[in-house]
Amino acid sequence: MFKSSWSSPSNIAVMKYWGKYGLQLPRNPSLSFTLSASVSHTTVTCIPNIGKGNHVNIEFYLDKEPNEKFGSRISKWLDTLTLEFPFLNDFTLHIETSNTFPHSSGIASSASGLSALALCLCDLQEQISGIAFERVEFYKRASTVARLGSGSASRSVFPFMSVWGFSPDVPDSSDEYAIAIEPLDVFRTYHDAILIVNPKEKSVSSSVGHSLMEGNPFAEARYKQANDHLALLLNAMDKSDVHAFGKIAEQEALTLHALMMCSDPSFILMKGNTLLMIDKIRSFRKDTSIPAYFTLDAGPNVHLLYPQEYSSEVHQFIETELRSLCHNGFIIWDKVGSGPSRL
Ligand code: DP6
C-alpha cells in the first residue's frame, strides 16, 4: 500500500495576488512569508480501485470527520490532474488532514491544506513509479500542482519567503510556480501576530474576488503598481530596510481592500475593530519608531508584522492595546518558518 504524509504551512502575502486568468495564472507577481505555527498535516493512503470510474475517487476527512465542502473542491482539482498523475485513475485516495489552527479562526486552510496534498501527490508518484525527481524539480512540481488548486498554495512549499508570478526583477520567476527567495537574516525571523477580529469564514470567496478584477476600472493601474511595489520591496529587503518594507506591506493590504470596495458588487471586508487596530498600530509606530506594520488578507483580521528584535515591546503593545479588540481575545502568535516537511 502506498502512503504519504506531509505537513505544510500557511503563508501571508506581503505583495498580494489579486486577479487571475487562464489556468490559475496570476495577473501580477506576489511575495509571501511562509509561516510556522499555522500548518496542515495531511496523510494520503492509496487503496486500489475495483473497476474504473469517470472521476478520481477520494475519501476526505478533516479532523477525522468527513468534510463535503472541502472534499468536493479537492475532487474537482484532482480530476484535472490525471495526466500529471496517472495513478489517480487506479486508486481511491483516503485523505486525512488536520490543521494546527482552529476552523473558526478566519485563517484560510487552502494554502496549507492544498500545498500539503500537492506534496503528498508528488511523493506518491515517486513511490509508485520508482523514479525520484531532483529536489529542486520536486518542489517546483509541487508548487505548480498546488497552484492549480489555489494560487496562494503555490507559495507555501518553500522556506522563509517566496515569489509567485513572473517579474523581470526576480530571476527564474514564473507564472506557473513559485520560487524560494533567500532573504537576509532579519526577514528569516520576522514575526506575524495574527489578530483575529472575526473568526467567521470570508464573506466573499477568493475565486469570486479574483474574478471581480476583470471589470474593475483600476485593474491595469493595479497590475502596474504591483510590479513597481515588488521592485521597491526587493530593494528594501536587500538593504534590510524594515520601514520601507513595512510601508509597501501596508500599501498592498489597503490596495487589496480598496479594489474590493470599488468592485461591482462591492465588498467591505474590514470591520470597525480592524480600523481601530490600524489606527493604534500607526500611533504606536509614530511614538516608538518600532517597525511594526500591518497587512490584511481578504478579510477583517490583522496580521502585525515585526522583526524579532522588537518582540517584547510589540507583545506588550498587543497585550495592552490590541488584545481587547480581538474576538474573545484570540491571537495566533506566528512567525516565519522553514517550510513543509515530510512526516
Ligand atoms: C488576498 O489563493 O485563495 O490572500 O487561487 O482562487 O484559490 P485562488 O485564490 P487564493 O487568493 C489569495 C488572495 C489573497 C492574497 C494572496 O495570498 O496573495
Side-chain angles (χ1 to χ4, degrees), residues 11 13 15-18 20 24 30 73 110 149-153 155 202 206-207 210 256 297-298:
N11 67 78
M15 286 274 325
K16 305 295 181 184
Y17 147 55
W18 201 239
K20 62 177 169 181
Q24 289 274 103
S30 56
R73 179 172 178 184
S110 55
S150 178
S152 54
R155 298 186 307 240
K202 296 188 269 189
S206 298
S207 289
H210 289 291
L256 170 71
D297 256 338

Side-chain angles (χ1 to χ4, degrees), residues 155-183:
R155 298 186 307 240
S156 275
V157 304
F158 299 107
F160 309 121
M161 292 183 102
S162 64
V163 166
W164 169 44
F166 173 75
S167 160
D169 297 312
V170 183
D172 302 327
S173 59
S174 167
D175 284 352
E176 306 271 338
Y177 45 82
I179 57 167
I181 53 171
E182 297 279 329

Side-chain angles (χ1 to χ4, degrees), residues 211-231:
S211 70
L212 291 175
M213 281 301 280
E214 294 312 305
N216 190 300
F218 302 105
E220 285 314 312
R222 159 60 189 162
Y223 302 141
K224 180 180 178 313
Q225 179 207 44
N227 283 289
D228 296 345
H229 274 173
L230 184 58

